[in-house]
Amino acid sequence: MKTLKIAIQKSGRLNEKSVELLKNCGLSFENYKSSLISNVSNFPLEILFLRDDDIPEYVQDGIADLGIVGENVISETGVDVSFLQMLGFGKCTLKLAVQTHSTIENIADLNGKSIATSYPVILKNFLDDNKIKAEIRTISGSVEIAPGLGLSDAIFDIVSTGGTLKSNGLKPFAEVMKSEAVLIGRKGIENEPLIVELIQRIQSVLRAKETKYVVLNAEAKNIDQILALLPGVKSPTVVPLAEEGWVAIHTVIPERDFWEKISLLKSAGAQGIVVMPIEKIIL
Ligand code: ATP
Ligand code: MG
């Protein structure tokens, strides 16, 4: 059987989560920091550890079949690949920012100004779309210090919490793109059986991450009121307890409405609520 290759970041912000995702898919491999390739022992897959900038082109050119990389890097390299699955980690926003005392307040003010960035392609597309003529100064890192050094009037960079901008005396004034890690594949690979299998495994892990398994006790007279609050994967399981008139209810609820649900359940008479993580949900 043909062995697939997946390219992931060797070290950096996406490495750990990418490795964790593949391990949670039941793939068994050594995460050698020093080697560039690792063999998965229980699936026909090789993992290539690369600089994230190289991943889109490796996938486009078929050197790797799959890759995990930020959407920002895909846009910047302008490659033609298939987006197979959004992965929900590595979230960030690409923003324009200026020094706190700058007179630049909106994107129109950028006309005739200079902007330092490591993402010249995304920035150029944005400026062209908005018919703004500004000079792009491409630098490979530490973009935040450019205005302070007099190298540029503004910067265009990745922001997650905004802490780095603040500590460099900068403030964001426009958002250009949101990004998260995504599973990409070589064009045309989507329907190959091994790819389909791997995507299904990834989806079952992601689905499980978004949900919790909840067990609670309640008096039988409160069942209807409690069940009305619980959507469940299919429908909640209700089992009688040894104590007469009491039941245990088992269900699965989305993490996002978790706290809201818990307080509603308590006021509907739920007791001894136990919340557990789920490893996988296979539909
Ligand atoms: P490499 O050595 O692989 O080229 P890098 O230094 O280019 O790594 P990292 O800083 O590790 O890249 O970031 C990898 C990706 O993580 C980014 O391209 C982006 O998609 C995402 N990311 C999420 N939050 C942030 C953040 N606060 N700063 C930078 N990148 C972030
Ligand atoms: Mg990089």
Side-chain angles (χ1 to χ4, degrees):
M1 198 189 291
K2 181 181 168 277
T3 300
L4 293 174
K5 293 191 180 69
I6 183 167
I8 66 171
Q9 194 188 25
K10 183 174 166 59
S11 64
R13 291 171 200 267
L14 301 182
N15 166 269
E16 206 175 299
K17 289 270 172 61
S18 305
V19 167
E20 182 188 302
L21 175 67
L22 296 178
K23 295 229 154 156
N24 286 341
C25 287
L27 303 176
S28 180
F29 59 94
E30 301 282 347
N31 186 19
Y32 292 124
K33 283 275 170 214
S34 57
S35 87
L36 288 179
I37 301 187
S38 192
N39 281 305
V40 174
S41 61
N42 56 357
F43 198 85
L45 183 70
E46 274 176 2
I47 301 171
L48 312 183
F49 296 93
L50 302 173
R51 287 282 311 268
D52 71 343
D53 316 60
D54 297 332
I55 293 174
E57 274 163 17
Y58 269 57
V59 173
Q60 175 182 255
D61 299 347
I63 295 159
D65 304 282
L66 299 166
I68 295 179
V69 69
E71 291 173 279
N72 55 313
V73 178
I74 303 170
S75 300
E76 186 60 30
T77 43
V79 291
D80 190 19
V81 292
S82 296
F83 279 58
L84 300 177
Q85 178 67 47
M86 304 301 285
L87 299 174
F89 61 85
K91 287 191 176 168
C92 57
T93 311
L94 282 86
K95 293 185 182 175
L96 286 156
V98 287
Q99 287 182 297
T100 40
H101 55 74
S102 170
T103 53
I104 298 173
E105 283 174 353
N106 53 48
I107 54 176
D109 296 339
L110 289 169
N111 268 308
K113 298 288 198 288
S114 60
I115 310 166
T117 188
S118 310
Y119 294 95
V121 175
I122 299 173
L123 178 58
K124 181 167 190 321
N125 290 338
F126 177 78
L127 295 175
D128 288 352
D129 287 349
N130 289 282
K131 308 207 167 24
I132 287 161
K133 293 214 177 326
E135 184 194 343
I136 299 175
R137 301 225 158 131
T138 306
I139 51 179
S140 61
S142 306
V143 171
E144 327 64 43
I145 62 170
L149 294 175
L151 197 68
S152 69
D153 301 304
I155 67 159
F156 172 59
D157 204 7
I158 290 183
V159 178
S160 49
T161 60
T164 313
L165 287 187
K166 214 170 187 177
S167 60
N168 284 283
L170 299 169
K171 59 171 186 203
F173 67 95
E175 187 178 306
V176 174
M177 173 184 186
K178 281 200 182 302
S179 173
E180 67 180 71
V182 59
L183 176 75
I184 53 170
R186 180 162 48 80
K187 276 268 150 130
I189 207 175
E190 300 83 348
N191 299 320
E192 288 188 17
L194 283 177
I195 301 287
V196 172
E197 152 102 34
L198 202 58
I199 294 174
Q200 274 169 1
R201 289 197 194 189
I202 289 175
Q203 287 173 342
S204 74
V205 172
L206 296 176
R207 222 177 273 130
K209 257 214 167 80
E210 288 162 10
T211 43
K212 298 280 178 222
Y213 192 91
V214 175
V215 180
L216 58 88
N217 295 335
E219 280 191 81
K221 65 178 167 60
N222 294 328
I223 292 180
D224 288 345
Q225 208 188 338
I226 289 175
L227 292 192
L229 294 166
L230 299 170
V233 162
K234 217 165 198 169
S235 79
T237 309
V238 181
V239 279
L241 291 181
E243 192 177 335
E244 185 82 28
W246 281 78
V247 294
I249 299 174
H250 295 231
T251 195
V252 168
I253 64 173
E255 168 109 69
R256 59 176 185 283
D257 39 56
F258 176 68
W259 287 111
E260 186 197 349
K261 279 277 153 69
I262 295 297
S263 50
L264 290 173
L265 288 168
K266 275 169 105 173
S267 30
Q271 295 182 11
I273 304 172
V274 177
V275 179
M276 289 168 275
I278 300 173
E279 198 175 293
K280 293 181 183 67
I281 298 180
I282 297 147
L283 295 178

